[in-house]
């Protein structure tokens, strides 16, 4: 019934000609069609529509881009008509688009996918396999190469190349390629960020033919996090990332993985492995050897085709976890490629004199071992990148085919090696006590480890190990697991490997951040066990997932107490307030009727009317709240739902995006305010305004200031290049003066420094400076440098901002700002809420001369008039990965 369809029908309207067809297609999934077409599609490869006939242009053509749905439609048609292709749903994007993996291989392998998947899993996880069994599975198995394309949606080429790759492999009669398809299954995620893909393509089409063709897209190309999406693969907060990570954590266990990216326009044309130093120390050495083989074969195969400008061992290090989505910590031969960009689909002309390199592997743009065939400049087009994508992908398949038996054997050998190392080398276990300051975060870590394919256990009795007591019910993560490298990486604190270009010379700087320790970032106490213990081993029982949720509220309860120590208490409280349920907060520990409350605890009086709704709220938590049978004590503060604004700029504002994500996750309602809307808006309709990290000049003028104090003109349609201006800033201070609350962190605190003015009346302006200044520049002169690390702070007690917080935590800092307060004038005041300790400041990651921070102020509360301002010298919600500090932000919403 489908054979006779004219493919052009799919082009515009994205309508299936027969509604029934569409219905069956979606309802029964692809297996149904795979079965029907496996019979009918034999040897029908010649009937497949070419990408050009389907899309109306050859992908890669100048100034042409296709959207997500046509891409998927095309892949589905290929899957229906070709016995070399299958397509499977893998998850849902944050904006609700279905995501897919496309499987390309020989007809026999495609028919046999289920069995091949089982083999992958066994090779990946069975550390007890006999040599005979391993030989058998290596013979029967196929190498799965996973390709993750264009997660950074502005980097359009890998996805645009995907129909050409699929069509080529589906129709080829080249005996060499047929051999690859025999040995290898190419498992392609054709678009790893479908939401962002449509945003970028729509933006490009909107401006095509205008003077702003190829301009940057305002906003983030994702529901929330934009370019930070590959910084999310430890925490797995975004549903598109989760779908992709499950392919190697849970379901398909590919042996090889490649992430496809693009870089700037004026450097090398292409980057292939090996990566640059430093490398992550927990990774098995053979992973690097394998990526070097794949990378060198790409460089060789691509230059044989005359593709100039391929570079290796340049710029991109393999220390942090974003570049291969943590796959290399799970025994996958994982790698990255990067192509030089054009303006989305608009060609660029590069003068030879404009070509340059950024160091780290290439000191000059010259013929050298890391770039033996430099590109000489000229026109660079989307079609060029697409050609490079085809040849690099084919080279990877060729290498995987050539070494298929070795790769499959390596996967199982490495599994055995990791388990054996876990049994014979410390640390043997990580232990997390059942009792924690925030038990919800403990449950969060355990669920996350399970999502990553890590087994977690519980002890069924008390075990004394040296001076450490491990109590019944504590959680234990043994290191003797196939994903040992990952467990160790995320459970220990980070120590950046300091490597130098020359002995004693300049250090190789980190590419990105340097800390991601789950226990430290989430405020969960954990410790390593560095001795083998049979007693502990024998006390472990495996946890079943999903973990049990809280039970219904007991009949005898008169009120529900949500402890101030738990982040998820705020979620419950915001949900309750939005259902018009009254919520109270304890400000003092002592209560009139002896009820046991801590400062900051939330209390809801149960009534016949709200009991059902409160039950629903409680069941949505990961830990049961506390219940009280006594009647409600006096002296509690009734809360009202704060009206919150969040300031987000047009300039790929990822920190604001992450903040939106966190607010949504905790059911906290908010309104997004663009900086230029501050002048026009009635700020008094808000109680709290949040300023995520952003440069002062971007907030004020929409332009970034360079180090020489000149402005760089942004690459956006000028209608988006706007800031709040002086007028907006004055209005903001009037908002504070009249009782508003502003929470500002990291760079945006710069807005509030120095002399400010507010209008008192028509003829009078008041000038003042808040009693705070940023002293970072003087510390940088003392060589302070923090690339993105966890630093220890001490918190004051007895302040509404620190309710529920321990005395000391680690906060995510990039070295600035650091504050100094002063004695206030007029109607102003200040309190230091957090400061750095005298020593042991660095908790995890890397820092230079962090001693300069000793005893300096990290967080300050300020008062002006009737209002309040909180300045955080760190990101309290960094990439949704520092939940240890969330309460410092959430408490600010109730000031
Ligand atoms: Zn990228």
């Amino acid at each position: 019934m489908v054979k006779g369809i004219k493919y052009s029908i799919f082009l515009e309207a994205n309508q299936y000609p027969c509604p029934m067809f569409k219905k069956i297609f979606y309802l029964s999934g692809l297996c149904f069609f795979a079965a029907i077409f496996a019979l009918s599609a034999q040897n029908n490869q010649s009937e497949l529509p070419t990408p050009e006939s389907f899309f109306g242009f050859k992908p890669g053509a100048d100034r042409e881009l296709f959207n997500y749905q046509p891409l998927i439609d095309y892949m589905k048609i290929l899957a229906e008509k070709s016995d070399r292709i299958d397509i499977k749903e893998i998850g849902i994007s944050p904006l609700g688009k279905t995501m897919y993996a496309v499987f390309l291989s020989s007809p026999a392998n495609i028919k046999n996918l289920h069995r091949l998947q089982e083999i992958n899993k066994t090779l990946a996880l069975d550390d007890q396999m006999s040599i005979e069994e391993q030989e058998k599975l290596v013979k029967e198995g196929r190498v799965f190469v996973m390709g993750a394309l264009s997660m950074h949606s502005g980097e359009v080429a890998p996805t645009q190349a995907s129909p050409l790759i699929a069509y080529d492999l589906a129709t080829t009669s080249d005996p060499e390629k047929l051999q690859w398809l025999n040995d290898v299954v190419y498992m392609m995620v054709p678009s790893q960020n479908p939401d962002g893909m449509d945003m970028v393509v729509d933006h490009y089409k909107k401006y095509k033919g205008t003077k702003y063709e190829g301009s940057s897209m305002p906003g983030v190309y994702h529901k929330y996090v934009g370019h930070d999406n590959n910084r999310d693969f430890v925490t797995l907060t975004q549903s598109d990332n989760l779908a992709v990570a499950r392919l190697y954590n849970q379901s398909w266990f590919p042996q090889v993985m490649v992430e496809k990216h693009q870089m700037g326009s004026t450097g090398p044309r292409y980057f292939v492995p090996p990566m640059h130093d430093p490398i992550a120390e927990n990774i098995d050495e053979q992973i690097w050897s394998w990526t070097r083989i794949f990378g060198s074969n790409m460089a060789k195969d691509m230059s044989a085709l005359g593709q100039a400008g391929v570079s290796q061992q340049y710029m991109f290090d393999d220390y942090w976890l974003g570049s291969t989505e943590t796959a290399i910590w799970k025994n996958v031969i994982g790698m990255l490629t990067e192509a030089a960009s054009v303006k989305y689909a608009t060609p660029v002309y590069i003068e030879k004199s404009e070509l340059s390199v950024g160091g780290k592997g290439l000191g000059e743009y010259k013929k050298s071992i890391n770039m033996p065939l430099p590109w000489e400049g000229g026109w660079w087009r989307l079609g060029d990148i697409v050609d490079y994508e085809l040849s690099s992908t084919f080279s990877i398949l060729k290498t995987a085919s050539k070494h298929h038996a070795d790769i499959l054997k390596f996967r199982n050998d490495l599994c055995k090696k990791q388990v054996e190392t876990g049994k014979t080398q410390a640390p043997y276990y990580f232990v997390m006590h059942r009792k924690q300051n925030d038990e919800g975060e403990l449950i969060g870590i355990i669920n996350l480890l399970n999502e990553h394919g890590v087994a977690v256990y519980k002890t069924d009795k008390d075990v004394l190990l040296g001076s450490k007591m491990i109590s019944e019910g504590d959680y234990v993560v043994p290191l003797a697991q196939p994903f040992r490298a990952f467990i160790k990486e995320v459970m220990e604190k980070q120590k950046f490997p300091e490597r130098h270009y020359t002995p004693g010379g300049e250090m190789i700087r980190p590419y990105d951040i340097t800390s991601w320790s789950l226990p430290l970032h989430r405020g969960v106490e954990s410790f390593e066990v560095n001795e083998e213990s049979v007693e502990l081993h024998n006390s472990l029982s495996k946890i079943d997932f999903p973990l049990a949720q809280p039970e219904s509220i007991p009949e005898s309860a008169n009120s529900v107490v949500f402890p101030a120590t738990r982040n998820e208490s705020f979620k419950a409280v915001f949900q309750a307030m939005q259902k018009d349920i009254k919520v109270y907060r304890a400000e003092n520990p002592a209560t009139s009727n002896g009820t046991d409350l801590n400062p900051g605890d939330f209390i809801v009086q149960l009534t016949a009317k709200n009991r059902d709704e409160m039950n629903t709220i409680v069941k949505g938590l990961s830990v049961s709240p506390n219940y009280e049978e006594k009647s409600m004590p006096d002296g509690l503060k009734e809360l009202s739902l704060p009206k919150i604004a969040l300031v987000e700029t047009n300039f790929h504002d990822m920190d604001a995006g992450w903040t939106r994500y966190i607010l949504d996750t905790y059911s906290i309602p908010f309104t997004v305010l663009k900086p230029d809307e501050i002048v026009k808006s009635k700020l008094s309709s808000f109680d709290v305004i949040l300023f995520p990290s952003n440069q002062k000049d971007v907030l004020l003028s929409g332009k970034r200031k360079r180090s020489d104090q000149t402005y760089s003109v942004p690459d956006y349609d000028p209608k988006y290049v706007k800031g709040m201006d002086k007028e907006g800033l004055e209005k903001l201070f009037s908002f504070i003066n009249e009782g508003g609350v502003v929470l500002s962190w990291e760079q945006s605190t710069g807005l509030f420094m120095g002399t400010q003015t507010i209008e008192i009346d028509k003829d009078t302006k008041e000038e003042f400076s808040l009693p705070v200044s940023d002293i970072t520049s003087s510390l940088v002169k003392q060589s302070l440098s923090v690339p993105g690390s966890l630093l220890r702070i001490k918190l004051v007690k007895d302040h509404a901002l620190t309710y529920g917080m321990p005395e000391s935590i680690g906060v995510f800092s990039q070295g600035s700002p650091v504050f100094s307060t002063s004695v206030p004038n007029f109607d102003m005041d200040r309190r230091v809420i957090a400061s750095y300790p005298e020593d042991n400041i660095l908790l995890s990651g890397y820092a230079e001369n962090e001693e300069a921070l000793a005893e300096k102020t990290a967080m300050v509360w300020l008062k002006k008039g009737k209002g309040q301002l909180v300045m955080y010298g760190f990101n309290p919600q960094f990439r949704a990965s520092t939940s240890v500090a969330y309460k410092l932000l959430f408490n600010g919403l109730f000031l």
Side-chain angles (χ1 to χ4, degrees):
M1 66 179 159
V2 197
K3 287 277 168 61
I5 297 171
K6 285 276 180 287
Y7 300 106
S8 55
I9 289 171
F10 287 79
L11 248 182
E12 297 275 318
N14 174 28
Q15 288 288 318
Y16 292 92
C18 158
M20 244 345 260
F21 171 85
K22 185 174 179 181
K23 211 167 182 184
I24 294 171
F25 199 91
Y26 282 123
L27 286 180
S28 5
L30 275 301
C31 295
F32 175 80
F33 277 90
I36 291 194
F37 289 104
L39 299 172
S40 60
Q42 305 285 342
N43 305 318
N44 269 333
Q45 321 291 6
S46 59
E47 288 181 26
L48 300 181
T50 64
E52 192 165 359
S53 72
F54 181 84
F55 295 103
F57 56 87
K58 189 178 177 210
D62 285 351
R63 307 174 66 223
E64 297 287 357
L65 294 173
F66 52 76
N67 281 78
Y68 182 66
Q69 193 54 49
L71 167 68
I72 297 306
D73 291 341
Y74 181 68
M75 293 297 180
K76 284 179 174 176
I77 290 173
L78 294 192
E80 285 156 36
K81 298 188 72 72
S82 166
D83 50 5
R84 293 183 195 167
I85 303 188
D86 198 354
I87 179 168
K88 291 181 189 294
E89 292 184 9
I90 59 168
I92 304 283
S93 74
L95 288 174
K97 292 190 166 72
T98 306
M99 295 177 67
Y100 297 90
V102 177
F103 296 76
L104 293 140
S105 194
S106 70
N109 291 341
I110 291 293
K111 232 184 201 171
N112 201 28
L113 273 182
H114 183 67
R115 171 64 188 149
L116 295 176
Q117 181 182 19
E118 273 176 13
I119 295 171
N120 280 355
K121 186 172 182 179
T122 312
L123 289 172
L125 303 180
D126 185 356
D127 64 298
Q128 300 294 320
M129 193 183 292
S130 67
I131 292 174
E132 296 74 35
E133 175 71 0
Q134 192 193 60
E135 274 174 6
K136 194 180 140 254
L137 292 187
V138 165
K139 219 171 177 179
E140 197 189 344
R142 300 290 181 265
V143 171
F144 278 58
V145 173
M146 175 176 158
L149 312 189
S150 297
M151 69 186 315
H152 292 149
S153 308
E155 303 162 10
V156 297
T159 290
Q160 298 290 320
S162 65
L164 297 168
I165 293 169
Y167 181 79
D168 186 297
L169 293 176
T171 57
T172 185
S173 52
D174 175 349
E176 194 190 359
K177 284 182 176 167
L178 293 175
Q179 184 61 47
W180 307 343
L181 293 176
N182 198 46
D183 300 329
V184 178
V185 178
Y186 181 39
M187 188 174 82
M188 172 169 74
V189 179
S191 170
Q192 194 172 334
N193 176 359
D195 302 333
M197 177 181 173
D198 275 348
M199 292 177 190
V200 165
V201 172
D202 291 345
H203 165 79
Y204 181 76
K205 287 176 177 170
K206 181 179 157 192
Y207 283 95
K208 190 171 141 177
T210 73
K211 67 195 273 195
Y212 301 116
E213 176 175 319
S215 64
S216 292
M217 188 196 93
V220 287
Y221 45 60
H222 188 266
K223 183 177 182 188
Y224 294 114
V225 305
H227 201 81
D228 264 356
N229 55 359
N230 68 334
R231 275 76 171 168
D232 182 48
F233 277 86
V234 174
T235 33
L236 294 175
T237 60
Q238 306 300 313
S239 64
D240 42 0
N241 289 343
L242 195 60
V244 170
R246 278 186 179 159
L247 297 176
Y248 53 82
N249 287 336
Q250 305 268 0
S251 55
W252 286 92
F253 301 94
Q255 295 82 20
V256 181
M257 189 273 235
V258 60
E259 238 184 75
K260 292 284 193 177
H261 291 261
Q262 289 175 221
M263 51 189 171
S265 302
T266 54
R269 294 302 90 189
Y270 212 75
F271 168 80
V272 297
M275 310 292 272
H276 197 275
D277 274 324
I279 55 174
E281 308 222 309
N282 288 321
I283 304 292
D284 187 83
E285 52 280 5
Q286 289 190 73
I287 292 276
W288 311 120
S289 307
W290 272 113
T291 57
R292 191 178 279 268
I293 289 168
F294 276 95
S296 295
N297 279 342
M298 276 188 263
K300 167 180 73 69
D301 294 341
M302 293 170 79
S303 58
L305 294 169
Q307 291 176 335
V310 177
S311 65
Q312 294 181 269
Q313 211 157 13
Y314 169 60
M315 187 74 77
F316 307 98
D317 73 38
D318 230 344
Y319 171 64
W320 67 292
L321 300 97
S323 63
T324 54
E325 306 181 355
T326 75
I328 52 174
W329 281 261
K330 286 136 182 182
N331 306 341
V332 180
I333 302 166
M335 60 198 123
L336 178 82
T337 69
E338 301 262 356
S341 295
V342 296
K343 288 181 177 296
Y344 302 117
T346 302
V348 292
Y349 186 84
I350 310 285
E351 293 286 359
K352 191 175 178 184
S353 58
E354 288 163 355
L355 290 163
S356 65
V357 287
K360 241 180 158 181
L362 285 172
E364 280 98 355
Y365 193 93
K366 293 265 166 67
K367 191 178 185 75
S368 62
I369 190 66
N370 287 341
M371 187 170 60
L373 177 62
W375 184 68
E376 295 294 325
W379 281 104
W380 183 245
R381 322 185 100 88
L382 178 61
D384 295 323
I385 316 177
V386 163
D387 286 346
Y388 279 50
E389 285 305 320
L390 261 72
S391 49
S392 89
T393 303
F394 291 157
S395 173
I396 291 171
L397 299 182
K398 180 178 167 184
T399 303
S401 165
K402 212 171 203 119
H403 298 280
H404 70 278
D406 280 352
I407 291 171
L408 293 174
K409 181 174 182 309
F410 168 67
R411 182 59 189 255
N412 187 244
D413 287 345
L414 186 51
C415 159
K416 290 176 171 169
K417 187 177 172 187
Q418 293 290 325
V419 173
E420 186 56 26
T421 309
K423 282 180 185 161
T424 53
Q425 263 181 40
Y428 296 95
Y429 305 96
F430 284 97
V431 178
M432 292 173 281
H433 288 311
R434 185 164 48 93
K435 290 248 177 286
Q436 298 279 347
N437 185 57
D438 185 341
E439 284 95 354
E441 291 302 320
L442 169 70
I443 300 299
I445 289 187
I446 291 162
N447 278 325
L448 181 59
L449 289 171
N450 178 55
E451 186 61 55
H452 277 288
V454 172
V456 183
Y457 297 76
K458 234 177 170 173
T459 49
D460 57 19
K461 62 172 187 180
D462 293 354
V463 178
L464 186 66
L465 276 185
S467 60
K468 289 252 194 253
M469 172 61 97
I470 301 170
S471 308
E472 183 189 340
D474 284 351
Y475 293 94
V476 178
V477 190
L479 274 289
Q481 300 195 43
F483 295 171
R484 174 184 178 273
F486 179 77
I487 299 169
K488 190 162 174 292
E489 188 72 39
V490 299
M491 291 300 292
E492 67 188 4
K493 69 174 191 177
Q494 275 64 58
K495 189 174 179 308
F496 182 71
E498 291 184 36
R499 300 287 178 273
H500 300 81
Y501 292 100
T502 55
E506 188 195 343
M507 194 190 83
I508 304 173
R509 319 284 315 175
Y511 181 81
D512 200 82
I513 62 168
T514 60
S515 177
W516 36 76
S517 161
L518 288 174
L520 289 173
H521 281 230
R522 295 182 179 223
V524 168
E525 279 183 46
S526 113
F527 61 91
E528 296 176 9
V529 174
N530 290 320
E531 55 195 288
E532 246 307 26
S533 164
V534 177
E535 199 190 354
L536 179 61
H537 182 83
N538 291 338
S539 78
L540 300 181
S541 53
K542 209 171 167 185
I543 299 175
D544 290 327
F545 289 92
L547 293 172
Q549 301 285 107
E551 312 238 313
S552 295
I553 299 171
E555 281 303 315
S556 59
N558 178 61
S559 60
V560 189
V561 177
F562 297 101
T565 51
R566 289 190 200 149
N567 286 332
E568 65 178 19
S569 292
F570 288 86
K571 183 175 166 184
V573 160
F574 272 97
Q575 287 176 351
M577 287 194 291
Q578 285 168 88
K579 290 178 186 294
D580 289 327
I581 297 172
K582 278 188 181 170
V583 180
Y584 296 85
R585 200 166 197 198
E587 292 183 310
N588 301 301
T591 58
S592 55
N593 66 350
T595 306
D596 198 15
L597 292 175
N598 290 309
D601 283 354
F602 300 96
I603 309 132
V604 173
Q605 166 99 60
L606 290 164
T607 63
K609 198 169 156 248
N610 71 20
R611 197 173 268 268
D612 283 352
E613 285 175 330
M614 287 308 296
N615 250 329
T616 310
I617 288 170
V618 164
K619 284 183 166 181
L621 301 176
S622 55
V623 185
S624 284
N626 302 328
Y627 300 110
E628 203 40 78
E629 292 183 14
K630 289 189 190 124
S631 59
M632 289 276 283
D634 296 332
L636 300 173
K637 178 183 169 189
E638 187 182 339
L639 299 180
S640 56
L641 185 66
K643 294 188 270 316
I644 300 165
L646 166 74
V647 178
E648 177 165 359
T649 70
N650 290 318
F651 312 107
H652 210 92
D653 198 343
M654 294 178 282
D655 199 51
W658 282 113
T659 312
R660 278 192 286 114
Y661 168 74
I662 287 168
L663 295 178
D664 280 348
T665 304
Y666 284 87
S667 305
I668 301 171
F670 63 96
T671 306
V672 171
L673 213 52
K674 300 282 175 191
D676 62 296
E677 289 170 351
I678 288 176
V679 181
K680 295 172 268 173
S681 305
K682 201 171 152 228
L683 294 187
S684 58
S685 61
F686 299 109
D687 301 308
V688 186
I689 302 179
L690 304 181
F691 276 87
S693 181
N694 219 322
Q695 224 189 50
K696 170 186 172 182
D697 299 286
V698 173
L699 291 162
L700 279 177
S701 64
K703 286 179 231 162
R704 204 163 283 282
K705 218 176 219 177
R706 299 195 190 97
S707 52
D708 63 0
Q709 300 301 306
T710 57
Y711 286 104
S712 57
V713 178
D715 177 25
Y716 288 82
D717 177 340
K719 80 176 183 207
Y720 297 109
V721 183
K722 287 176 185 160
M724 60 198 280
D725 294 327
K726 263 195 128 160
E727 201 187 337
L729 190 57
E730 263 190 52
K731 220 179 140 185
L732 193 64
F733 269 102
S734 296
F735 165 78
I736 298 173
N737 199 44
E738 283 148 31
V741 173
V742 167
L743 310 180
S744 161
W745 54 89
E746 250 239 347
Q747 290 184 65
S748 69
T749 56
L751 267 183
F752 306 98
M753 300 292 174
T755 308
Q756 309 289 347
T757 47
I758 46 174
E759 202 178 83
I760 300 290
D761 55 48
K762 260 199 176 146
D763 306 318
T764 326
K765 286 208 171 190
E766 179 190 333
E767 277 202 335
F768 61 94
S769 301
L770 293 171
V772 65
S773 55
D774 180 358
I775 55 165
T776 314
S777 57
S778 73
L779 303 181
V780 170
K781 281 183 196 143
Q782 298 170 47
S783 301
L784 171 73
S785 170
V786 185
S789 310
L790 214 64
L791 303 183
R792 195 191 308 269
I793 58 167
K794 297 178 301 177
L795 291 158
V796 296
K797 282 185 153 193
D798 307 326
H799 194 284
L801 282 165
T802 59
Y803 283 158
M805 295 296 296
E807 280 175 23
S808 173
I809 60 165
V811 288
F812 195 88
S813 167
Q814 302 185 65
S816 80
V818 184
F819 305 118
S820 169
T821 57
S822 52
V823 178
N825 290 331
F826 308 134
D827 56 353
M828 291 176 278
D829 202 355
R830 81 285 174 237
R831 287 287 179 279
V832 172
I833 303 298
S835 50
Y836 295 101
E838 205 180 334
D839 46 24
N840 293 322
I841 297 169
L842 179 66
L843 256 181
S844 175
Y846 177 75
E848 255 167 84
N849 287 342
E850 79 265 23
E851 300 81 13
L853 289 168
E855 315 257 270
K856 300 287 187 296
T857 299
M859 177 178 165
V860 59
W861 169 90
L862 296 141
K863 177 179 159 289
K864 164 74 186 116
K866 294 179 207 155
Q868 305 170 75
L869 170 63
V870 185
M871 291 186 185
Y872 308 76
F874 48 87
N875 295 65
Q877 48 33 300
F878 185 73
R879 295 178 185 165
S881 72
T882 56
S883 46
V884 63
Y886 287 178
K887 286 185 286 276
L888 295 175
L889 178 59
F890 294 161
N891 282 328
L893 302 175
F894 287 117
L895 276 178

